[in-house]
């Protein structure tokens, strides 16, 4: 017993000593440590700061003073399990009392509010009453004046129809993600969220989409997601597009945009279309990046879609023949071409059309998941004399391609016949997760790349090359 007592006193002394050490650390240093651990609001793996609050009073004071740790609030139905009380650094509130306590921790700072009204539990008799009680706390505290980000998920705008959002003013709202939001909330965002920077409308079920963005004073990114996969759902965008000149990014999923009238997006810089068809005419003079995934831009008449500032073009799923009909006008400014998925013959056909039109001289070419045929790829590369960087990812490769780059047979001998290499301007060649079509061996690619770099160096065409086995692993310079 005496021995156990001594061990117990020893453990107590050690614990007391550890706590004393934490208490001796200055508060400003604790703040730096806490900021490194929890300072990234968008990091979903930051953990729960309340664990550190249990260490000592100093930690509690520092963490409670960091309003950014307590700014994410979720309104959810009580059926959300208790062990999920903290999701991605957010406080889940089921009752008005829990919501009031969460609001106290925000210390008057701006908040990110998520309304999880997409559960069928809200359709029960008491569901609307519970939602009204939570929103009444926001109404009474005028919390809406501090909402910087809102995510509203209900599945259908009819589920929360009649729930009180009247009088909500959203002067600091910057981001809104809406799925089935009630019209009254949509109206308040349009009328009062003058600083909105990002708007996402998920499963948009209204046609036309009569959003008025004229009161938005900042550059705006818009994302529209349809209900019907494959782009069968039609959506009229004229009202939204013509109400503002501030849209700089536009992402659309699963829609057909009909019409023959001209839609003007003078400030648009980036456009991403996923299983989407644009059938109307577009005017995008500032567009610099265009990404099409199983999508197409068709224009009425003979005039092509013109984007005089386009610098980056990404085409995904090249086996979709609609992509071969893309006519993007004059592309003297194009610097980056990215092809994902499909057969190299489709790339060859695309280049043939572009070259026929006399306007494609990219500086960077990236191929991903493309079924590469060396002879076809070599013929393509001969048509891009200004190419300075080539990246090939997850593609089967043949030695003939490397020999074309080297200008000789590989491995090169001293007496090997020499010829000018293709793309003499090439300065950077990178390969990711690709393999030899002969042996299915990654090691073959390393050998071929090493021999190519050596041969070009000896012939006066220096080349920097790098390879990595899996995307995300460190590059290995050759």
């Amino acid at each position: 017993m005496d021995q156990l007592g001594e061990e117990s006193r020893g453990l107590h002394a050690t614990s007391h000593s550890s706590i004393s050490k934490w208490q001796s650390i200055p508060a400003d240093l604790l703040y730096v440590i806490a900021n490194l651990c929890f300072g990234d609001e968008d990091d979903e793996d930051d953990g729960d700061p309340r664990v550190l609050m249990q260490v000592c009073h100093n930690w509690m004071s520092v963490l409670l003073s960091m309003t950014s740790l307590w700014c994410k609030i979720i309104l959810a139905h009580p059926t959300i399990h208790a062990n999920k009380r903290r999701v991605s650094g957010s406080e889940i509130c089921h009752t008005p009392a829990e919501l009031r306590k969460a609001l106290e921790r925000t210390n008057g700072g701006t908040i990110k509010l998520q309304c999880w009204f997409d559960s069928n539990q809200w359709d029960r008799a008491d569901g609307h009453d519970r939602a009204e009680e939570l929103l009444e706390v926001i109404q009474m505290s005028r919390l809406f004046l501090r909402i910087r980000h809102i995510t509203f998920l209900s599945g259908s705008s009819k589920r929360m129809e009649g729930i009180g959002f009247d009088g909500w003013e959203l002067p600091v709202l910057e981001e809104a993600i809406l799925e089935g939001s009630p019209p009254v909330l949509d109206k308040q965002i349009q009328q009062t969220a003058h600083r909105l920077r990002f708007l996402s409308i998920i499963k948009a079920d209204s046609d036309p989409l009569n959003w008025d963005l004229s009161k938005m004073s900042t550059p705006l990114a818009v994302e529209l997601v349809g209900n019907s996969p494959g782009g069968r759902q039609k959506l009229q965008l004229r009202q939204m597009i013509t109400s503002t000149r501030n849209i700089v990014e536009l992402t659309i999923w699963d829609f057909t945009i009909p019409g023959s009238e001209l839609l003007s997006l003078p400030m648009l810089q980036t456009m991403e279309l996923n299983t989407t068809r644009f059938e109307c005419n577009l005017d995008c003079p500032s567009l610099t990046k265009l990404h099409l995934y199983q999508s197409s831009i068709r224009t009425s008449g003979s005039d092509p879609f013109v984007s005089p500032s386009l610098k980056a073009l990404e085409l995904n799923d090249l086996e979709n023949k609609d992509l071969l009909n893309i006519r993007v006008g004059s592309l003297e400014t194009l610097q980056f071409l990215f092809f994902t998925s499909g057969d190299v013959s489709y790339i060859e056909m695309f280049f043939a059309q572009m070259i026929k039109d006399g306007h494609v001289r990219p500086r960077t070419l990236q191929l991903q998941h493309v079924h590469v045929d060396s002879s076809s790829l070599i013929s393509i590369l001969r048509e891009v004399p200004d190419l300075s960087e080539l990246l090939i990812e997850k593609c089967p490769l043949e030695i003939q391609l490397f020999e074309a780059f080297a200008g000789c047979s590989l491995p090169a001998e001293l007496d090997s016949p020499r010829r000018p290499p293709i793309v003499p301007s090439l300065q950077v060649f990178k390969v990711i997760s690709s393999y030899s079509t002969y042996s299915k061996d990654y090691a073959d690619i390393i050998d071929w790349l090493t021999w190519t770099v050596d041969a070009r160096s000896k012939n006066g065409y220096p080349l920097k090359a790098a390879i990595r086995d899996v995307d995300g692993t460190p590059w290995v310079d050759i």
Side-chain angles (χ1 to χ4, degrees):
M1 291 295 293
D2 292 340
Q3 183 178 356
L4 288 175
E6 290 179 5
E7 290 180 357
S8 176
R9 286 191 293 273
L11 289 173
H12 178 76
T14 301
S15 175
H16 181 76
S17 175
S18 299
I19 294 175
S20 298
K21 289 179 180 178
W22 280 113
Q23 292 175 334
S24 65
I25 299 177
D28 54 350
L29 183 54
L30 289 179
Y31 181 85
V32 171
I33 296 172
N35 196 52
L36 290 173
C37 294
F38 308 109
D40 188 353
E41 291 185 19
D42 298 320
D43 190 346
E44 297 187 356
D45 299 319
D46 267 356
D48 190 344
R50 288 178 296 188
V51 175
L52 273 182
M53 289 173 63
Q54 300 175 28
V55 174
C56 66
H57 177 75
N58 288 355
W59 264 122
M60 180 178 291
S61 299
V62 167
L63 292 170
L64 287 176
S65 70
M66 297 177 65
T67 56
S68 62
L69 297 182
W70 316 105
C71 71
K72 304 174 189 177
I73 297 175
I74 295 176
L75 308 185
H77 196 273
T79 52
I80 296 293
H81 200 272
N83 64 6
K84 294 184 177 179
R85 290 194 55 80
R86 191 169 180 86
V87 178
S88 302
S90 300
E91 290 280 353
I92 296 184
C93 302
H94 305 123
T95 65
E98 291 177 338
L99 178 55
R100 291 189 189 94
K101 185 175 181 180
L103 295 180
E104 289 177 4
R105 288 199 179 104
T106 65
N107 290 324
T110 58
I111 69 166
K112 294 184 175 182
L113 179 67
Q114 297 187 25
C115 301
W116 288 1
F117 294 153
D118 53 343
S119 169
N120 291 334
Q121 300 291 337
W122 295 103
D123 295 332
R124 296 187 175 185
D126 65 341
H128 271 226
D129 292 339
R130 289 182 180 275
E132 285 280 16
E133 290 173 358
L134 289 169
L135 294 176
E136 186 178 355
V137 174
I138 295 176
Q139 188 79 26
M140 296 299 293
S141 64
R142 298 185 65 79
L143 176 67
F144 46 77
L145 295 173
R146 298 194 278 127
I147 298 176
R148 173 164 47 99
H149 169 110
I150 186 168
T151 297
F152 187 98
L153 308 175
S154 75
S156 170
S157 57
K158 295 181 179 180
R159 169 170 286 152
M160 288 296 147
E161 199 170 21
I163 295 295
F165 291 96
D166 289 319
W168 277 37
E169 297 178 28
L170 302 160
V172 299
L173 186 68
E174 297 180 355
E175 298 180 353
I177 300 174
L178 310 172
E179 180 186 3
S181 53
V184 63
L185 176 59
D186 296 347
K187 181 180 178 181
Q188 292 303 118
I189 292 175
Q190 294 173 65
Q191 292 183 347
T192 66
H194 308 314
R195 294 169 55 180
L196 194 68
R197 296 186 297 106
F198 176 75
L199 172 64
S200 176
I201 302 176
I202 303 170
K203 295 183 179 179
D205 54 6
S206 60
D207 183 30
L209 192 62
N210 291 324
W211 272 70
D212 182 356
L213 304 178
S214 59
K215 290 183 169 59
M216 313 303 174
S217 60
T218 56
L220 181 64
V222 175
E223 178 185 55
L224 305 173
V225 182
N227 272 317
S228 176
R232 293 185 294 272
Q233 182 181 354
K234 291 189 176 183
L235 182 68
Q236 298 281 351
L237 286 181
R238 182 168 181 78
Q239 169 72 28
M240 173 181 280
I241 297 300
T242 57
S243 69
T244 181
R245 296 172 57 89
N246 291 343
I247 298 178
V248 294
E249 295 183 24
L250 179 61
T251 302
I252 303 179
W253 294 78
D254 303 323
F255 278 116
T256 293
I257 314 299
S260 58
E261 298 177 336
L262 180 67
L263 289 183
S264 180
L265 293 154
M267 303 297 291
L268 188 68
Q269 299 175 14
T270 301
M271 181 161 64
E272 179 179 343
L273 304 181
N274 302 275
T275 55
T276 292
R277 296 172 183 270
F278 252 99
E279 296 178 348
C280 54
N281 292 324
L282 289 174
D283 178 28
C284 309
S286 303
L287 188 68
T288 58
K289 182 178 180 180
L290 174 63
H291 178 198
L292 303 178
Y293 172 71
Q294 295 184 355
S295 301
S296 60
I297 301 176
R298 296 169 180 263
T299 58
S300 60
S302 58
D303 294 334
F305 166 53
V306 176
S307 178
S309 303
L310 196 65
K311 295 182 180 180
L313 176 61
E314 299 185 20
L315 302 180
N316 198 316
D317 188 9
L318 297 176
E319 294 179 357
N320 180 354
K321 291 183 172 56
D322 284 339
L323 290 181
L324 301 180
N325 297 323
I326 296 172
R327 302 292 299 279
V328 286
S330 182
L331 293 179
E332 286 87 353
T333 59
L334 190 66
Q335 297 179 4
F336 178 84
L337 262 174
F338 183 11
F339 296 96
T340 300
S341 183
D343 192 282
V344 73
S345 60
Y346 286 93
I347 304 177
E348 194 173 19
M349 295 170 64
F350 179 83
F351 265 89
Q353 179 61 57
M354 302 294 281
I355 292 168
K356 180 181 177 182
D357 293 343
H359 48 51
V360 58
R361 299 175 73 92
R363 300 296 181 88
T364 300
L365 175 63
Q366 182 170 339
L367 306 177
Q368 184 183 66
H369 289 293
V370 174
H371 303 300
V372 177
D373 171 75
S374 289
S375 59
S376 298
L377 185 53
I378 289 171
S379 66
I380 290 172
L381 292 171
R382 293 188 188 280
E383 302 296 339
V384 284
D386 299 331
L387 192 68
S388 60
E389 183 171 348
L390 175 65
L391 192 151
I392 298 179
E393 180 176 357
K394 298 178 182 177
C395 300
L397 299 176
E398 301 171 323
I399 194 172
Q400 288 87 346
L401 175 64
F402 294 85
E403 289 179 335
F405 281 123
C408 61
S409 298
L410 297 177
E413 305 292 342
L414 291 176
D415 57 349
S416 296
R418 306 282 173 166
R419 59 184 181 276
I422 61 168
V423 198
S425 61
L426 192 67
Q427 300 175 15
V428 178
F429 186 12
K430 295 183 177 181
V431 179
I432 304 175
S433 303
S434 298
Y435 58 89
S436 162
T437 55
Y438 300 123
S439 64
K440 307 295 183 183
D441 193 350
Y442 171 73
D444 285 347
I445 306 298
I446 297 178
D447 290 340
W448 297 347
L449 202 55
T450 302
W451 296 338
T452 300
V453 171
D454 184 60
R456 285 180 67 103
S457 178
K458 291 177 179 178
N459 290 340
Y461 301 99
L463 177 67
K464 292 182 179 180
I467 189 170
R468 62 186 183 193
D469 188 12
V470 181
D471 191 13
T473 58
W475 286 100
V476 177
D477 294 328
I478 302 297

